[in-house]
Amino acid sequence: ASRRGLKNQLKSFLFRKAPSDPSLALGDGGEGLGRSGHAPELSGTFCPLRADSVEAAMRSQSDLLMLVGDYATATATLKLLSSDLKSDKLHLHYASSQEALAMVTVFGGGSVSAAIMYMKEAFLRYSGIVEAERGLSKSLAAIYCTRVALQWVDLLACLNRLSDASWIAMRAHFHESNARAAFLLEYAAHFLLLQRPAKERKCAFYLVLAALRYGQANESSLAFIAHQKAIGMLEGKGWDILEEHVHEAL
């Protein structure tokens, strides 16, 4: 209890909110601004942090702390920042802080379950912004969503949770352009093949889907390679419909 009290005192002393700039108000009397002086992000909108804001300073501080290896202080700073960003409904920045918390937890040798929890939260938040389908945040959130998904997949693969890794890569491809989606599908298929016993039929199906997305991206050579990989797993297995489709594509 005394430790929490000290942390709250430090937070109120070091990270006291500056009054909002009236010139940045969204309406009469500054209506719509969060406690930090930033406009809340609506579904699918992006509000950059002000360079002179406390939140921007805290994020820069946490990045510097992570760079010098002070993971404990970086974690504490990011947790405080995440709380403020979430309450101010700055969804994209909140997701980014959750992603940073996951990285700090992994680099600092923290709980793997905590790192996975942070990655999941970041992935879901980014996905929610992408699905809103509005403006700049859609393109940014799609890139960030794929980035955290790949980090999540790599962590799960290191833990030999190959089925989960494949599922995350498969889910992430829905938010991406054709070429990147095809890569993610191939990545998901790779983990299916590494499982024991290998899930060859599902792997071949993912490769066929990847080939279709490569074709839509006008990457015919990559589509041909994906089909070739699939046919090697289909021949002589009795999966006639899928094998026939691949032969026709080749």
Side-chain angles (χ1 to χ4, degrees), residues 105-123:
T105 303
V106 171
F107 294 152
S111 168
V112 173
S113 60
I116 291 175
M117 179 188 69
Y118 292 135
M119 289 179 180
K120 180 180 180 179
E121 177 69 7
F123 180 80

Side-chain angles (χ1 to χ4, degrees), residues 6 17 44 62 70 80 85 101 126 135 141 143 147-148 151 156 194 243:
L6 176 61
K17 302 288 184 181
S62 64
D70 190 352
L80 293 175
L85 293 174
L101 270 170
Y126 285 139
I143 294 171
R147 181 178 67 186
V148 73
Q151 294 166 354
L156 291 171
L194 290 177
E243 185 177 356

Side-chain angles (χ1 to χ4, degrees), residues 33-244:
L33 290 177
R35 293 180 298 104
S36 57
H38 301 288
E41 291 173 359
L42 303 175
S43 297
T45 62
F46 173 67
C47 175
L49 292 176
R50 289 166 45 190
D52 61 343
S53 68
V54 174
E55 286 79 8
M58 290 175 70
R59 184 57 200 264
S60 298
Q61 178 187 11
S62 64
D63 291 343
L64 180 60
L65 289 167
M66 185 165 58
L67 184 64
V68 300
D70 190 352
Y71 300 117
T73 310
T75 299
T77 303
L78 284 168
K79 285 182 177 179
L80 293 175
L81 176 61
S82 292
S83 176
D84 286 346
L85 293 174
K86 185 176 183 180
S87 63
D88 286 344
K89 299 182 180 180
L90 297 172
H91 304 300
L92 190 63
H93 296 296
Y94 170 70
S96 176
S97 66
Q98 290 293 298
E99 184 181 358
L101 270 170
M103 294 299 99
V104 171
T105 303
V106 171
F107 294 152
S111 168
V112 173
S113 60
I116 291 175
M117 179 188 69
Y118 292 135
M119 289 179 180
K120 180 180 180 179
E121 177 69 7
F123 180 80
L124 293 176
R125 291 285 178 166
Y126 285 139
S127 298
I129 298 172
V130 173
E131 290 165 3
E133 296 183 347
R134 293 185 187 175
L136 178 62
S137 67
K138 182 177 186 295
S139 60
L140 285 175
I143 294 171
Y144 298 157
C145 187
T146 300
R147 181 178 67 186
V148 73
L150 290 173
Q151 294 166 354
W152 192 2
V153 164
D154 288 343
L155 179 58
L156 291 171
C158 290
L159 299 172
N160 203 34
R161 293 171 56 177
L162 301 177
S163 180
D164 292 336
S166 177
W167 183 83
I168 296 300
M170 173 64 175
R171 180 170 176 179
H173 96 278
F174 291 111
H175 300 317
E176 272 297 355
S177 60
N178 287 320
R180 290 178 177 176
F183 164 76
L184 289 168
L185 285 166
E186 277 198 286
Y187 204 29
H190 169 74
F191 290 114
L192 292 172
L193 200 59
L194 290 177
Q195 294 179 43
R196 293 294 176 267
K199 297 182 178 179
E200 293 187 355
R201 184 174 183 175
K202 194 172 183 179
C203 177
F205 181 68
Y206 280 13
L207 288 172
V208 171
L209 292 177
L212 291 173
R213 296 300 290 266
Y214 278 134
Q216 293 173 353
N218 295 321
E219 296 288 349
S220 56
S221 59
L222 294 176
F224 180 78
I225 293 172
H227 275 130
Q228 277 192 319
K229 292 178 181 177
I231 199 64
M233 288 179 246
L234 295 172
E235 288 180 336
K237 299 292 178 62
W239 304 329
D240 298 333
I241 296 177
L242 192 56
E243 185 177 356
E244 181 181 349

Side-chain angles (χ1 to χ4, degrees), residues 1-13:
S2 61
R3 182 178 180 182
R4 286 197 301 270
L6 176 61
K7 188 169 76 171
N8 290 334
Q9 290 181 35
L10 289 173
K11 178 183 177 182
S12 62
F13 179 74

